[in-house]
C-alpha cells in the first residue's frame, strides 16, 4: 500500500515562526518598563507568602485585611529605610558638595597627623611643606577631576526617580499578586506543564523554593546583621550610623559580612581614646559577625533543602552578572539546573561499587578475541 505524504509547507512554517517571534518581541517591548518591578514584586511575594497565609488565618480568613497588613509591612521595610538613607546622604554630603563647588578649594592642613605616634610630626611637617610649596598647583590639577566627579554624582540622582518608580510598581504588583497569588501560580504551573510536563511543573515549584530560601537565608540574614551592626554603631557614638548600616547590609549581601565596616569603627574609637565604647563595640561586633553562621543555614533550610554552596554561589555569581536582581536569579537558575541534572542522572542505573569488576568487564573482550580467532 502506497502512502501519499502531504508535502511540507516550508513558507507557512517559516512565516508562522516569524510571526510568533514578532509578537513575542512586541509584547516584551511593551511590558519592558514593568519587568523589573514585576520581578521584584514576584520575589517579595514568593518569599513572604507563608506570612500572608498566617495573617489571613489570624484576621478571620479575610484576604483583604491580610493584604493591607502586608502592604504596611512592605512600606516599612522598603520605603521608610530608603527615605532615611536619602535624608542621611543629603545631610552628610552638603558640606562636601559646597566645598567642591565653591571654587575656593584649598588642601587641608591635617592637624590630626600630629597625634600619630613617632611619625606624626614628620608626616605633618612634610604634608604642610608640600602644601606651601605646590599646594595651589596641585589643586589646580585636581579641581577639574573633582568637578567631573561632582557632576557624575549629581547625575546619579536621576536614578533615584527610577528606583522610586520601580518601588511603586513593586508595591502595586505585590497587591495584585497577594490578592490573586493562587491563580497566578496555577497559571505558571500550567504553562510549565505544557512545555515539559511534570518536570516543568517541578521546575516552577523548585524555583519558588529557591527564591524563598535566598530571601530567608541571605536577605533576612543581611538585614539582621546590618540593623544590629547599625544599632551598635549608633549606641557607640559613631557618626553617620544610618549610612554605615546600609553599607553593612550591602556588604552582607555580597557575602563580605559586616566586619569591613565595624572593624574601622572599633579602631577609630580606640584611636580617639574612647576605650569603653570601643570594647563594647568590639564584643558586639563579634556577636554580629558570627550571627550568619547560625542564622543563615537555619533560614535556608526553612525555604528549601538545597546545598549551601549552591545558594551562596548563585547569590555571588548572580549579583556579578545581573546586579541586585541577580541575587535571586542566580540561585534559581543553579537550583533548577541542579535538580534537573540530578533527575536526569538518577534515571540511569547506579555504577558498580567495585571498580575492579568494571575493569575486568572491559578486559574480557580483549581476552576472548584470540580464542575466537583460533
Amino acid at each position: 500500500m502506497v502512502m501519499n505524504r502531504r508535502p511540507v509547507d516550508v513558507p507557512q512554517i517559516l512565516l508562522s515562526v516569524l510571526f510568533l517571534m514578532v509578537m513575542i518581541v512586541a509584547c516584551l517591548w511593551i511590558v519592558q518598563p514593568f519587568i523589573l518591578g514585576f520581578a521584584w514584586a514576584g520575589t517579595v511575594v514568593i518569599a513572604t507568602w507563608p506570612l500572608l497565609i498566617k495573617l489571613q488565618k489570624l484576621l478571620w480568613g479575610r484576604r483583604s485585611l491580610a493584604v493591607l497588613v502586608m502592604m504596611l509591612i512592605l512600606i516599612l521595610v522598603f520605603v521608610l529605610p530608603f527615605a532615611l538613607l536619602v535624608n542621611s546622604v543629603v545631610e552628610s554630603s552638603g558640606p562636601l558638595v559646597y566645598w567642591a563647588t565653591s571654587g575656593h578649594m584649598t588642601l587641608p592642613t591635617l592637624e590630626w597627623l600630629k597625634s600619630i605616634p613617632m611619625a606624626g610630626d614628620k608626616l605633618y611637617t612634610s604634608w604642610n611643606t608640600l602644601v606651601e610649596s605646590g599646594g595651589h598647583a596641585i589643586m589646580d590639577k585636581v579641581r577639574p577631576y573633582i568637578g567631573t566627579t561632582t557632576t557624575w554624582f549629581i547625575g546619579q540622582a536621576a536614578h533615584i526617580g527610577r528606583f522610586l518608580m520601580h518601588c511603586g510598581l513593586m508595591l502595586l504588583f505585590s497587591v495584585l499578586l497577594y490578592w490573586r497569588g493562587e491563580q497566578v501560580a496555577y497559571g505558571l504551573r500550567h504553562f510549565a506543564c505544557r512545555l515539559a510536563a511534570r518536570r516543568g511543573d517541578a521546575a516552577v515549584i523548585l524555583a519558588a523554593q529557591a527564591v524563598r530560601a535566598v530571601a530567608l537565608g541571605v536577605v533576612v540574614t543581611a538585614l539582621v546583621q546590618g540593623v544590629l551592626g547599625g544599632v551598635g554603631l549608633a549606641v557607640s557614638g559613631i557618626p553617620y550610623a544610618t549610612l554605615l548600616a546600609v553599607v553593612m547590609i550591602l556588604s552582607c549581601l555580597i557575602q563580605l559580612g559586616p566586619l569591613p565596616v565595624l572593624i574601622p569603627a572599633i579602631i577609630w574609637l580606640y584611636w580617639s581614646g574612647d576605650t569603653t565604647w570601643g570594647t563594647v563595640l568590639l564584643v558586639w561586633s563579634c556577636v554580629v559577625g558570627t550571627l550568619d553562621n547560625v542564622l543563615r543555614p537555619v533560614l535556608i533550610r526553612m525555604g528549601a533543602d538545597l546545598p549551601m554552596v549552591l545558594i551562596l554561589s548563585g547569590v555571588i555569581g548572580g549579583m556579578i552578572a545581573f546586579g541586585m536582581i541577580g541575587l535571586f536569579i542566580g540561585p534559581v537558575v543553579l537550583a533548577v539546573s541542579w535538580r534537573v541534572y540530578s533527575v536526569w542522572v538518577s534515571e540511569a542505573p547506579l555504577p558498580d561499587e567495585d571498580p575492579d569488576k568494571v575493569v575486568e568487564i572491559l578486559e574480557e573482550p580483549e581476552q576472548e578475541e584470540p580464542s575466537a580467532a583460533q
Side-chain angles (χ1 to χ4, degrees):
M1 181 176 180
V2 180
M3 299 293 294
N4 294 325
R5 288 189 175 183
R6 185 178 180 181
V8 178
D9 192 349
V10 177
Q12 180 186 8
I13 296 175
L14 292 177
L15 289 175
S16 299
V17 173
L18 181 61
F19 176 76
L20 290 176
M21 292 179 61
V22 170
M23 292 300 295
I24 292 173
V25 171
C27 291
L28 291 176
W29 196 1
I30 293 171
V31 302
Q32 187 269 336
F34 311 103
I35 291 178
L36 183 57
F38 186 81
W40 190 3
T43 56
V44 170
V45 171
I46 291 173
T48 58
W49 186 259
L51 179 59
L52 174 73
I53 300 301
K54 291 181 180 179
L55 286 175
Q56 183 175 346
K57 292 180 180 179
L58 293 175
L59 297 174
W60 310 282
R62 299 287 298 276
R63 175 61 63 88
S64 58
L65 295 178
V67 172
L68 180 61
V69 173
M70 289 302 302
M71 289 307 301
L72 294 176
I73 294 175
L74 292 182
I75 291 174
L76 291 176
V77 171
F78 291 100
V79 178
L80 187 60
F82 180 75
L84 294 175
L85 174 62
V86 171
N87 184 52
S88 176
V89 170
V90 170
E91 290 181 354
S92 55
S93 62
L96 179 61
V97 173
Y98 175 77
W99 176 78
T101 58
S102 61
H104 302 288
M105 294 181 294
T106 57
L107 292 175
T109 58
L110 302 183
E111 296 287 341
W112 55 270
L113 287 175
K114 295 181 179 179
S115 60
I116 299 177
M118 300 179 65
D121 293 333
K122 185 175 181 180
L123 291 174
Y124 176 78
T125 304
S126 301
W127 171 255
N128 283 276
T129 301
L130 177 63
V131 171
E132 293 175 358
S133 60
H136 296 291
I138 294 175
M139 287 307 302
D140 290 337
K141 294 181 179 180
V142 172
R143 188 179 289 110
Y145 298 99
I146 295 178
T148 304
T149 305
T150 305
T151 304
W152 181 84
F153 276 107
I154 294 175
Q156 298 306 306
H159 294 290
I160 297 178
R162 187 179 304 173
F163 175 83
L164 291 176
M165 182 191 71
H166 289 306
C167 188
L169 291 175
M170 182 271 294
L171 295 175
L172 177 61
F173 287 135
S174 296
V175 172
L176 299 177
L177 291 176
Y178 279 136
W179 189 259
R180 297 295 181 186
E182 292 88 354
Q183 290 85 342
V184 175
Y186 187 79
L188 290 175
R189 292 179 59 188
H190 192 186
F191 177 73
C193 289
R194 182 65 181 84
L195 292 179
R198 294 183 61 184
R199 289 187 179 180
D201 190 14
V204 172
I205 296 174
L206 180 62
Q209 293 177 351
V211 170
R212 190 171 293 122
V214 173
L216 290 175
V218 178
V219 178
V220 172
T221 302
L223 289 174
V224 171
Q225 287 186 291
V227 171
L228 292 179
V231 170
L233 294 176
V235 172
S236 302
I238 301 295
Y240 311 121
T242 304
L243 184 60
L244 293 176
V246 175
V247 174
M248 275 191 289
I249 292 174
L250 297 176
S251 178
C252 293
L253 286 176
I254 61 177
Q255 306 307 305
L256 292 179
L259 295 182
V261 177
L262 292 174
I263 290 178
I266 295 170
I267 296 174
W268 183 80
L269 286 174
Y270 277 110
W271 192 264
S272 61
D274 196 351
T275 57
T276 302
W277 284 112
T279 305
V280 171
L281 186 59
L282 175 61
V283 175
W284 186 248
S285 299
C286 294
V287 176
V288 175
T290 57
L291 186 62
D292 59 333
N293 296 326
V294 179
L295 186 60
R296 184 167 55 200
V298 175
L299 293 176
I300 286 179
R301 294 299 178 185
M302 290 174 58
D305 189 12
L306 296 172
M308 179 73 68
V309 175
L310 190 72
I311 295 295
L312 296 183
S313 300
V315 167
I316 298 174
M319 289 189 65
I320 294 175
F322 302 104
M324 289 302 295
I325 194 63
L327 184 71
F328 297 94
I329 295 177
V332 167
V333 172
L334 291 184
V336 173
S337 302
W338 170 256
R339 283 295 174 86
V340 171
Y341 167 79
S342 300
V343 172
W344 177 70
V345 170
S346 63
E347 292 178 351
L350 294 175
D352 199 322
E353 296 182 358
D354 189 359
D356 295 331
K357 294 182 179 180
V358 179
V359 176
E360 292 176 0
I361 294 174
L362 293 176
E363 293 176 350
E364 284 178 0
E366 297 179 359
Q367 296 175 357
E368 293 177 357
E369 284 179 0
S371 60
Q374 293 175 0

